[in-house]
Amino acid sequence: MTTLCRPAIAVPEHIITLEETLELARSLHAGHEQLGLVLRLIENTGVRTRHLVQPIDATLRHPGFEKRNALYTAEAKERVPEVVRRALDHGEVTAEEIDLLIYVSCTGFMMPSMTAWMINELGFRTDTRQLPIAQLGCAAGGAAINRAHDFCRAYPDANVLIVACEFCSLCYQPTDLGVGSLLSNGLFGDAIAAAVVRGKGGHGVWLERNGSHLVSDTEDWISYAVRDTGFHFLLDKRVPGTMEMLAPALRTLAEQHRWDVTDLDFYIVHAGGPRILDDLSQFLSLSPETFRFSRATLTERGNIASAVVFDALDRLFDEGKVPAPGTGLIAGFGPGITAEMVLGRWTAASPDHSASHDAVRFSPIGRPPPDTLGGPVDGSAAAPAR
């Protein structure tokens, strides 16, 4: 049985709070004719804190796409190795036992992919397969889990490592003044996540069935415009209403597996914003408490793009209240409009990894400060666009 093991999560050391975000919006956009609306929208996201790879004053400066992308590369190489080490530990495998590397990111570009660097620097075999996923946005976390599941079904003895590295703050565009862009500046945060998927063995979520769904004619609802200054995030005002279109796809996948989507033991879904979670509760006839893990991620870290599903899943491990073999759903939503969904069963966590593992907060040189290892991390703050 293919098993998704406990993720490892890391967030950068620079924090911005909701109050600081609102004050910045007031000072930077004092003359904006829709400032009142923007402030209300940011406040209504429920995001209290976010983490950034740079201090806010550096985040607000735009040195050009070349320097931004170079910073993305440097930060990824500095921060990814520690997260990978912990994910391998949770999966009870070594780098040499990994057969496929999936690297997910929509906030920076590298060619060769980060997967090539990881193989050269982190002890993976030179015949390790590589799968970079760059253009599925927030849905890519779910897509990575599904492609790992497919791979392990084809190669039952295989092991896969997924790495999601999202530095949304490096996509901040000071000249983008539309309401959607300004809202994004108060919604997105930075994070790295990694998780092992094993064809045999391991502890976590047994993956049973996966599926994808694209809502027709919604390609321009979530998109990037690629310009001289880099990635410009475009968010249509219709996006918050997409759960009415996607909830039936979740229901259908469960029915195909002879499960009832309204009667599962756990739900891990992408926290794009509070409206997404509220609507999903309504259209699936579920209590708002059902999505508590995703809500906690949104509140403490903001929308961390493809890393959301892993952060929320880590919170499920922390709580440890789902009885084995409890049934559950994991789903990522993103551009397309696309849903990537997987059904699975909770298994007993490994005794070696059942204790709480909060996200490591990195020091400026990329090493976790001693006082945050295994202890709670306050907050998670603000980063502009993804």
Side-chain angles (χ1 to χ4, degrees), residues 135-361:
Q135 293 161 299
L136 283 174
C138 296
I145 294 170
N146 289 350
R147 300 298 75 78
H149 183 204
D150 294 342
F151 187 82
C152 288
R153 289 171 68 190
Y155 303 96
D157 294 321
N159 298 307
V160 180
L161 176 69
I162 300 168
V163 178
C165 180
E166 300 289 14
F167 300 145
C168 304
S169 62
L170 298 183
C171 296
Y172 170 65
Q173 298 291 348
T175 60
D176 290 353
L177 302 178
V179 171
S181 296
L182 297 181
L183 169 61
S184 299
N185 294 345
L187 177 63
F188 288 95
D190 299 349
I192 299 171
V196 169
V197 177
R198 295 184 54 169
K200 289 184 179 177
H203 306 270
V205 179
W206 286 341
L207 305 178
E208 296 196 12
R209 177 188 288 266
N210 72 63
S212 301
H213 181 78
L214 183 137
V215 179
S216 300
D217 303 320
T218 57
E219 291 174 68
D220 57 348
W221 288 24
I222 302 175
S223 63
Y224 270 166
V226 183
R227 302 173 185 154
D228 291 344
T229 47
F231 304 133
H232 291 251
F233 181 59
L234 304 175
L235 183 68
D236 190 277
K237 63 182 180 182
R238 292 170 289 184
V239 169
T242 51
M243 287 306 101
E244 185 172 6
M245 307 172 198
L246 291 179
L250 302 179
R251 190 183 300 276
T252 297
L253 182 70
E255 289 173 350
Q256 290 170 345
H257 205 54
R258 298 184 180 179
W259 287 3
D260 180 354
V261 76
T262 67
D263 189 30
L264 305 179
D265 296 297
F266 65 91
Y267 299 80
I268 303 297
V269 301
H270 176 68
R275 170 80 183 275
I276 297 294
L277 301 176
D278 292 344
D279 281 4
L280 207 51
S281 298
Q282 176 188 342
F283 293 122
L284 295 182
S285 302
L286 295 168
S287 162
E289 173 68 9
T290 300
F291 302 109
R292 61 191 177 279
F293 305 117
S294 300
R295 290 184 191 277
T297 295
L298 183 65
T299 299
E300 297 176 17
R301 313 211 188 286
N303 184 338
I304 49 176
S306 65
V308 165
V309 290
F310 300 105
D311 189 89
L313 179 61
D314 189 52
R315 295 170 190 271
L316 170 68
F317 275 85
D318 260 349
E319 186 180 87
K321 292 182 180 178
V322 176
T327 57
L329 166 75
I330 301 173
F333 311 125
I337 297 293
T338 299
E340 289 283 343
M341 312 159 287
V342 62
L343 301 173
R345 294 181 187 269
W346 175 255
T347 71
S350 165
D352 294 334
H353 305 294
S354 58
S356 173
H357 285 72
D358 289 283
V360 169
R361 180 163 24 138

Side-chain angles (χ1 to χ4, degrees), residues 58-136:
T59 300
L60 295 174
R61 292 194 296 268
H62 195 327
F65 183 48
E66 181 179 355
K67 290 183 179 179
R68 276 259 180 98
N69 204 59
L71 180 61
Y72 169 90
T73 300
E75 292 286 351
K77 290 179 178 179
E78 182 66 29
R79 298 172 187 270
V80 162
E82 171 61 19
V83 186
V84 166
R85 182 194 65 76
R86 289 190 289 119
L88 293 173
D89 184 45
H90 291 176
E92 301 172 278
V93 295
T94 66
E96 290 187 348
E97 294 176 291
I98 296 297
D99 302 289
L100 169 66
L101 276 175
I102 303 179
Y103 182 79
V104 177
S105 184
C106 62
T107 53
F109 181 79
M110 297 170 63
M111 193 170 72
S113 166
M114 186 71 176
T115 53
W117 182 86
M118 290 166 62
I119 290 171
N120 283 320
E121 300 294 330
L122 302 184
F124 297 97
R125 303 191 318 267
T126 56
D127 66 345
T128 306
R129 293 167 173 85
Q130 305 172 62
L131 179 58
I133 302 178
Q135 293 161 299
L136 283 174

